[in-house]
Amino acid sequence: MKIVLALGGNALQADPKDKTAQAQLKTCKETAVSIVDLIEDGHTVSIVHGNGPQVGQIVATVEDAAKQNPSNVMFPFDVCGSFSQGYIGYHLQNAIAEELNKRGVKKSVGTIVTQVVVDKNDSGFQNPTKPIGSFYSKEMAEKLEKEQGFIMKEDAGRGYRRVVASPKPIDVIEKEMIKELVEDGKVVISCGGGGIPVIREDGMVKGVAAVIDKDFAAEKLAEILEADCLLILTAVDRVCVNFNKPDQKELAEINIEEVNRYIEEGQFAPGSMLPKVEACKKFVMHDGSKIAMIASLSKAKEALKGLSGTKIVR
């Protein structure tokens, strides 16, 4: 089976308080066990990962350096995203290759720094809401708006933060290269953090300050690769309704009609379970013969056998 695997934050940082590179590499080694379980079972696995904490840390470091010395370069946000792709991809490919070697599985694994096309007229650009980077005073926020063209918004009484758009992905620039490698049996890590958002303008590709949800990027990649399965891995075994309430109910399988009803009821948290469910819905609506699943990282293998996870069907 050809699988596109979307890794949630718990696959990269088990302890949200420990954001060190050493902690991330340790978690990646644990994550690699579940990934290689699937590869060892004969599946072709392509990987997409998130980058929320990591790119936030990179941006904050860049901003702090600029605060200390205004002559320091304030790297554009799309460049910071590319930093995170290389940094996380390096750890994942290192960990997966090590686990493959331990088991005597001969597979090449590598990372492609990926540009993902968005529409410059996407509604997200009209009302940016995704906070990134450091907190600032009102005075400094106004200065950044004037000098850098940033959009700054007050954040729950903690100060002002920059906000960027979260547009939907419409294409992947490196898709042919990714397809060739996947067809050749390689383990490819791509579209990291949702990919570097770019727009096509005057025959050129231009980076923009935005954040693409990694679940939607994984769905787009799954369409491009004609994958058999979109498997979104997260921290819970199954999608639930009435989450954390006395009448909480786990869902083993749901159809599109049920998905729409639960979304209307507000059962899935925005920025958490909602984009996962919406990405799975989009994938099965694209081709009803395909499989979309949400499961926990530790039970990925069981999910493919129908023993865990939530399957979304048309």
Side-chain angles (χ1 to χ4, degrees):
M1 186 183 292
K2 189 188 296 182
I3 300 170
V4 170
L5 202 63
L7 298 177
N10 63 313
L12 302 174
Q13 289 184 324
D15 181 358
K17 294 180 182 178
D18 189 349
K19 298 180 181 179
T20 63
Q22 292 82 357
Q24 178 176 286
L25 181 56
K26 180 177 182 294
T27 304
C28 285
K29 288 179 184 292
E30 295 163 0
T31 296
V33 174
S34 295
I35 294 172
V36 175
D37 281 346
L38 301 181
I39 296 169
E40 202 170 34
D41 278 355
H43 300 298
T44 299
V45 178
S46 303
I47 300 160
V48 175
H49 60 78
N51 72 343
Q54 293 85 357
V55 77
Q57 191 174 15
I58 290 167
V59 171
T61 301
V62 168
E63 290 177 341
D64 287 345
K67 288 177 188 176
Q68 297 294 324
N69 183 353
S71 67
N72 284 326
V73 174
M74 181 82 85
F75 289 108
F77 185 64
D78 57 316
V79 174
C80 291
S82 70
F83 290 170
S84 73
Q85 279 198 40
Y87 159 41
I88 298 168
Y90 157 59
H91 277 171
L92 276 173
Q93 69 186 41
N94 179 295
I96 294 167
E98 183 178 296
E99 187 65 26
L100 288 167
N101 288 335
K102 278 183 187 176
R103 303 192 198 187
V105 179
K106 293 185 178 181
K107 282 272 184 183
S108 297
V109 53
T111 300
I112 295 178
V113 176
T114 317
Q115 302 168 92
V116 174
V117 181
V118 299
D119 184 348
K120 64 180 178 181
N121 297 314
D122 189 290
S123 59
F125 287 110
Q126 309 308 314
N127 182 33
T129 58
K130 191 80 173 178
I132 59 169
S134 306
F135 290 94
Y136 291 92
S137 66
K138 184 178 180 180
E139 293 74 21
M140 182 56 73
E142 289 173 348
K143 183 179 180 183
L144 287 170
E145 284 185 323
K146 183 179 179 180
E147 295 180 358
Q148 301 285 343
F150 292 173
I151 298 173
M152 309 292 290
K153 290 187 179 180
E154 199 273 333
D155 189 335
R158 296 179 293 176
Y160 287 76
R161 292 180 81 189
R162 183 185 179 188
V163 292
V164 296
S166 186
K168 294 292 192 294
I170 58 176
D171 202 2
V172 176
I173 296 291
E174 292 79 14
K175 62 185 177 184
E176 295 304 326
M177 183 187 302
I178 296 169
K179 285 166 71 174
E180 286 177 16
L181 291 169
V182 171
E183 290 301 324
D184 197 37
K186 305 295 190 291
V187 181
V188 181
I189 302 162
S190 67
C191 301
I196 303 164
V198 297
I199 59 172
R200 288 193 171 105
E201 196 170 67
D202 300 325
M204 303 290 287
V205 171
K206 177 183 176 184
V208 292
V211 172
I212 301 171
D213 188 284
K214 70 100 175 42
D215 297 314
F216 287 114
E219 189 282 328
K220 179 54 65 178
L221 182 66
E223 285 187 22
I224 289 168
L225 295 179
E226 298 180 347
D228 302 298
C229 177
L230 171 63
L231 179 56
I232 298 179
L233 300 180
T234 185
V236 295
D237 291 343
R238 282 193 165 123
V239 178
C240 298
V241 291
N242 304 318
F243 186 62
N244 275 343
K245 295 178 180 178
D247 57 344
Q248 174 177 306
K249 177 186 175 184
E250 290 188 345
L251 304 171
E253 181 174 305
I254 48 177
N255 61 38
I256 296 302
E257 184 181 345
E258 291 169 318
V259 166
N260 290 336
R261 185 172 77 249
Y262 290 140
I263 289 173
E264 287 177 10
E265 292 174 0
Q267 290 282 359
F268 309 128
S272 179
M273 188 55 73
L274 181 58
K276 294 173 176 57
V277 171
E278 289 182 329
C280 287
K281 171 188 168 181
K282 188 173 186 297
F283 185 61
V284 297
M285 289 298 290
H286 174 73
D287 186 338
S289 69
K290 303 303 175 90
I291 300 169
M293 300 197 73
I294 299 171
S296 65
L297 174 66
S298 61
K299 294 186 177 179
K301 187 173 180 177
E302 289 88 341
L304 289 177
K305 295 178 179 178
L307 303 175
S308 187
T310 298
K311 184 179 179 181
I312 290 86
V313 298
R314 195 157 178 174

